[in-house]
Amino acid sequence: MLQDGTIFIGKSTKPEYLDLRLANRHGLVTGATGTGKTVSLQVLAEGFSNAGVPVFAADIKGDLSGIAAPGNGKEPLVKRAKDIGIEYVPDKFPVVFWDLFGEQGHRVRATISEMGPLLLSRLLDLNDTQEGVLNIAFRIADEQGLLLLDLKDLRALLQLIAENASELTTAYGNVSKATIGAIQRQLLVLENQQGDEFLGEPALDIKDLMRTDRDGRGIVNILAADKLMSNPRLYATFLLWLMSELFEELPEVGDLDQPKMVFFFDEAHLLFNDAPKALVETVERVVRLIRSKGVGVYFITQNPADIPESVLAQLGNRIQHALRAYTPREQKAVRVAAQTFRQNPAFDTEKAITELGVGEALVSTLEGKGAPSMVERTLIAPAMAQVGPIELTERQGIIASSPMKGKYDQSVDVESAYEMLAKRAEQAAADAKAAEGGGGILDMLGGLFGTTGQRKGSMTVGQRVTREVTRTIVNQTVGNLAAEIGKSIGGRQGSSIGRAIVRGTLGGLLRR
């Protein structure tokens, strides 16, 4: 019954397979809560791992962690395997656990420069005006080689821009202190929600998600997302960043015998809730083109209507579990879901969606030259690994023996925009001291950066200086910036243009 180059999904009137050659054409797993979506996801993840394809999956409820332990051979699972005509063989799979907060897995971080203004604006829920000012800040940072790694870097740059808006307006457009203040408040909200723990160094190397074990099985990377779901905007932004990183970094490979990697995005509707049209269009373009990089993207959500039509059209492999239809709105959703399949004259697709039992699904996969197969009512195969979460001690043991142990667990504070701006201000302060006969360098730094903040070692930035000396420092520092910016605008190949940074489709930093 099993075939090479495929993943066995289950059995209808015939065995149902997912062709690995077409697995990078993306997919969709939908259905109401409690109908078996997580098991279907686990069956696919096990199949990809067995084929040597690395997997990344967000684990919303913690259930997916069971893939790291062998199945327990419960009677319902053995019976289902027998009904389908396969042998139930308990198995476990290689797993690496990840967690943005570092509690249930290795930390995942990205730098602010890598995140880019588009995704950061979505994370901060900025309006158009605020997003425009944030773009100006990134432009200045990119042209001046100012690395924005964490929140203190961005705060320092935004404060400098606010205090010198008039000098920068001519080159970049209007910048108001009120707008800068609004952005700063949103940064504070993000920090209060622990979102700042995601921003910093060491940043995740995407290649660490694309690994196999010594037996050639694909590593299943599981992101602990139960706590992350309390901040759905951070969850959605992280997934979009991850997808954009893959899109920008991986080379074009065309059609392969199997994907290089597969992503499962649970609660996929959060990616698109309240998303501006421009972002949805960008995501649709990335989903359409990333398959040529050998990456398959599978969305998991309750209803196909949760996904924008432009993105839904790119999802060729589909598993539809039961939907409820008690209200007119729910009945319409069922009708829409049924219309997304290639109809089977043997049964009424719309009616079948409401009648499916737990573990049953309507399945349609791509076949031949990429045409969708006729939808079939299918009994989904049992997972061979444990269904349900593993114990905390088991998770901790896997983390302790992980090949990623020690690489991402401790934060690193390297020289970046905050330190670079401080050095410029320190030099300007030394010049101002000689000219004015004023206070010390540390006092002047306090005037430049405000009355609060933290510095390494014994340096403090909470001190005040006279208005005259502070203005001298600011004018000299921003004057240097303005001079370099002028060179860039004038087309001269000065030092700033040589450090200019190239950004990708979703605004992320291109590492070239």
Coordinates of all heavy atoms in Angstrom, one line a residue, residues 331-371:
Q331 N -23.2 28.1 7.9 CA -23.6 27.3 6.7 C -23.0 27.9 5.4 O -22.6 27.1 4.5 CB -25.2 27.4 6.6 CG -25.9 26.6 7.7 CD -27.3 26.8 7.8 OE1 -27.9 27.6 7.0 NE2 -28.0 26.2 8.8
K332 N -22.9 29.2 5.4 CA -22.2 29.8 4.3 C -20.7 29.4 4.2 O -20.2 29.2 3.2 CB -22.3 31.3 4.4 CG -21.7 32.1 3.2 CD -21.8 33.6 3.4 CE -21.1 34.3 2.2 NZ -21.3 35.8 2.3
A333 N -20.1 29.4 5.4 CA -18.7 29.0 5.5 C -18.5 27.6 5.0 O -17.5 27.2 4.3 CB -18.2 29.1 6.9
V334 N -19.4 26.7 5.3 CA -19.3 25.3 4.9 C -19.5 25.2 3.3 O -18.7 24.5 2.7 CB -20.4 24.4 5.5 CG1 -20.5 23.0 4.8 CG2 -20.1 24.2 7.0
R335 N -20.4 26.0 2.8 CA -20.6 26.0 1.4 C -19.3 26.5 0.6 O -18.9 26.0 -0.4 CB -21.8 26.9 1.0 CG -22.2 26.9 -0.4 CD -23.6 27.4 -0.6 NE -23.9 28.7 0.1 CZ -24.6 28.9 1.2 NH1 -25.1 27.9 1.8 NH2 -24.7 30.1 1.7
V336 N -18.7 27.6 1.2 CA -17.5 28.1 0.6 C -16.4 27.1 0.7 O -15.6 26.9 -0.3 CB -17.1 29.4 1.3 CG1 -15.7 29.8 0.9 CG2 -18.1 30.5 1.1
A337 N -16.3 26.4 1.8 CA -15.2 25.3 1.9 C -15.4 24.2 0.9 O -14.5 23.7 0.3 CB -15.2 24.8 3.4
A338 N -16.7 23.8 0.7 CA -17.0 22.8 -0.3 C -16.6 23.2 -1.7 O -16.1 22.3 -2.5 CB -18.4 22.4 -0.2
Q339 N -16.8 24.4 -2.0 CA -16.5 24.9 -3.3 C -15.0 25.0 -3.7 O -14.6 25.1 -4.8 CB -17.1 26.3 -3.5 CG -18.6 26.2 -3.5 CD -19.3 27.6 -3.5 OE1 -18.6 28.6 -3.3 NE2 -20.6 27.7 -3.7
T340 N -14.1 24.8 -2.7 CA -12.7 24.9 -2.9 C -12.1 23.6 -3.4 O -11.0 23.5 -3.8 CB -11.9 25.3 -1.6 OG1 -12.1 24.3 -0.6 CG2 -12.4 26.6 -1.1
F341 N -13.0 22.5 -3.4 CA -12.5 21.2 -3.8 C -13.0 20.9 -5.3 O -14.0 21.4 -5.7 CB -13.1 20.1 -2.9 CG -12.4 20.1 -1.6 CD1 -13.1 20.6 -0.5 CD2 -11.2 19.5 -1.4 CE1 -12.5 20.6 0.8 CE2 -10.6 19.4 -0.1 CZ -11.3 20.0 1.0
R342 N -12.2 20.0 -5.9 CA -12.7 19.4 -7.1 C -13.7 18.3 -6.8 O -13.4 17.4 -6.1 CB -11.5 18.7 -7.9 CG -11.9 18.0 -9.2 CD -10.7 17.3 -9.7 NE -11.1 16.4 -10.8 CZ -10.2 15.5 -11.4 NH1 -9.0 15.4 -11.0 NH2 -10.7 14.8 -12.4
Q343 N -14.9 18.6 -7.2 CA -16.1 17.8 -6.7 C -16.0 16.3 -7.1 O -15.5 16.0 -8.2 CB -17.4 18.4 -7.2 CG -17.6 19.8 -6.8 CD -17.6 20.0 -5.2 OE1 -18.4 19.3 -4.6 NE2 -16.8 20.8 -4.7
N344 N -16.6 15.5 -6.2 CA -16.7 14.0 -6.5 C -18.2 13.7 -6.6 O -18.9 13.9 -5.7 CB -16.1 13.3 -5.3 CG -16.0 11.8 -5.5 OD1 -16.8 11.2 -6.3 ND2 -15.1 11.1 -4.9
P345 N -18.6 13.2 -7.8 CA -20.0 12.9 -8.0 C -20.5 11.8 -7.1 O -21.8 11.6 -7.0 CB -20.0 12.4 -9.5 CG -18.7 12.0 -9.8 CD -17.7 12.8 -9.0
A346 N -19.7 11.1 -6.4 CA -20.1 10.0 -5.5 C -20.8 10.5 -4.2 O -21.5 9.7 -3.6 CB -18.9 9.1 -5.2
F347 N -20.6 11.7 -3.8 CA -21.2 12.3 -2.6 C -21.3 13.8 -2.7 O -20.6 14.4 -3.5 CB -20.4 11.8 -1.4 CG -19.0 12.3 -1.3 CD1 -18.6 13.5 -0.8 CD2 -18.0 11.5 -1.8 CE1 -17.3 13.9 -0.7 CE2 -16.6 11.9 -1.8 CZ -16.3 13.1 -1.2
D348 N -22.1 14.3 -1.8 CA -22.3 15.8 -1.7 C -21.2 16.3 -0.8 O -21.2 16.1 0.4 CB -23.7 16.1 -1.2 CG -24.0 17.6 -1.1 OD1 -23.1 18.4 -1.0 OD2 -25.2 17.9 -1.1
T349 N -20.3 17.1 -1.3 CA -19.2 17.6 -0.5 C -19.6 18.5 0.6 O -19.1 18.3 1.8 CB -18.2 18.4 -1.4 OG1 -17.8 17.5 -2.5 CG2 -17.0 18.8 -0.7
E350 N -20.6 19.4 0.3 CA -21.0 20.3 1.4 C -21.7 19.5 2.5 O -21.4 19.8 3.7 CB -22.0 21.3 0.8 CG -22.5 22.3 1.8 CD -23.5 23.3 1.1 OE1 -23.4 23.5 -0.1 OE2 -24.3 23.9 1.8
K351 N -22.5 18.5 2.2 CA -23.1 17.7 3.3 C -22.1 16.9 4.0 O -22.1 16.8 5.3 CB -24.2 16.8 2.7 CG -25.0 16.0 3.7 CD -26.0 15.2 3.0 CE -26.8 14.4 4.0 NZ -27.8 13.5 3.3
A352 N -21.1 16.4 3.3 CA -20.1 15.5 3.9 C -19.3 16.3 5.0 O -18.9 15.7 6.0 CB -19.2 14.9 2.9
I353 N -19.0 17.5 4.7 CA -18.2 18.3 5.7 C -18.8 18.4 7.1 O -18.1 18.4 8.1 CB -17.9 19.8 5.1 CG1 -17.0 19.7 3.9 CG2 -17.4 20.7 6.2 CD1 -16.8 21.1 3.2
T354 N -20.1 18.4 7.1 CA -20.8 18.5 8.4 C -21.0 17.1 9.0 O -21.4 17.0 10.2 CB -22.2 19.2 8.2 OG1 -23.0 18.4 7.4 CG2 -22.0 20.5 7.7
E355 N -20.8 16.1 8.3 CA -21.0 14.7 8.8 C -19.7 14.0 9.2 O -19.8 12.9 9.7 CB -21.8 13.9 7.7 CG -23.1 14.4 7.4 CD -23.8 13.6 6.3 OE1 -23.1 12.9 5.5 OE2 -25.0 13.7 6.1
L356 N -18.6 14.5 8.9 CA -17.3 13.8 9.1 C -17.1 13.6 10.6 O -17.4 14.4 11.5 CB -16.2 14.7 8.6 CG -16.0 14.9 7.1 CD1 -15.0 16.0 6.8 CD2 -15.7 13.6 6.4
G357 N -16.7 12.3 10.9 CA -16.4 12.0 12.3 C -14.9 12.4 12.7 O -14.2 12.8 11.8
V358 N -14.6 12.3 14.0 CA -13.3 12.6 14.4 C -12.3 11.6 13.7 O -12.5 10.4 13.7 CB -13.1 12.5 15.9 CG1 -11.7 12.7 16.4 CG2 -14.1 13.5 16.6
G359 N -11.2 12.2 13.1 CA -10.3 11.4 12.4 C -10.6 11.2 10.9 O -9.8 10.6 10.2
E360 N -11.8 11.7 10.5 CA -12.1 11.6 9.1 C -11.9 13.0 8.5 O -12.0 14.0 9.2 CB -13.6 11.3 8.9 CG -13.9 9.8 9.0 CD -15.4 9.5 8.6 OE1 -16.3 10.1 9.2 OE2 -15.6 8.8 7.6
A361 N -11.6 13.0 7.2 CA -11.4 14.3 6.5 C -11.7 14.1 5.0 O -11.6 13.0 4.5 CB -10.0 14.8 6.8
L362 N -12.0 15.3 4.4 CA -12.0 15.3 2.9 C -10.6 15.6 2.4 O -10.0 16.6 2.9 CB -13.0 16.3 2.4 CG -14.5 16.1 2.8 CD1 -15.4 17.2 2.2 CD2 -15.0 14.8 2.4
V363 N -10.1 14.8 1.6 CA -8.7 15.0 1.1 C -8.6 15.2 -0.4 O -9.2 14.5 -1.1 CB -7.8 13.8 1.5 CG1 -6.4 13.9 1.0 CG2 -7.8 13.7 3.1
S364 N -7.8 16.2 -0.8 CA -7.5 16.4 -2.2 C -6.1 16.8 -2.3 O -5.7 17.8 -1.7 CB -8.4 17.5 -2.8 OG -8.1 17.7 -4.1
T365 N -5.3 16.1 -3.0 CA -3.8 16.5 -3.2 C -3.5 16.6 -4.7 O -4.3 16.2 -5.5 CB -2.9 15.4 -2.6 OG1 -3.2 14.1 -3.2 CG2 -3.2 15.2 -1.1
L366 N -2.4 17.3 -4.9 CA -2.0 17.5 -6.3 C -1.4 16.2 -6.9 O -0.8 15.4 -6.2 CB -0.9 18.6 -6.4 CG -1.4 20.0 -5.9 CD1 -0.3 20.9 -6.0 CD2 -2.6 20.4 -6.7
E367 N -1.7 15.9 -8.1 CA -1.2 14.7 -8.8 C -0.8 15.0 -10.2 O -1.1 16.1 -10.7 CB -2.3 13.7 -8.8 CG -3.6 14.1 -9.5 CD -4.7 13.1 -9.3 OE1 -4.6 12.1 -8.6 OE2 -5.8 13.3 -10.0
G368 N -0.1 14.1 -10.8 CA 0.3 14.3 -12.2 C 1.1 15.5 -12.4 O 2.2 15.7 -11.9
K369 N 0.6 16.4 -13.3 CA 1.3 17.7 -13.6 C 0.8 18.8 -12.7 O 1.0 20.0 -13.0 CB 1.0 18.0 -15.0 CG 1.6 17.0 -16.0 CD 1.4 17.5 -17.5 CE 2.0 16.5 -18.4 NZ 1.9 16.9 -19.8
G370 N 0.3 18.5 -11.5 CA -0.1 19.5 -10.6 C -1.6 19.8 -10.5 O -2.0 20.8 -9.8
A371 N -2.4 19.0 -11.1 CA -3.8 19.2 -11.0 C -4.3 18.6 -9.7 O -3.9 17.5 -9.3 CB -4.5 18.5 -12.2

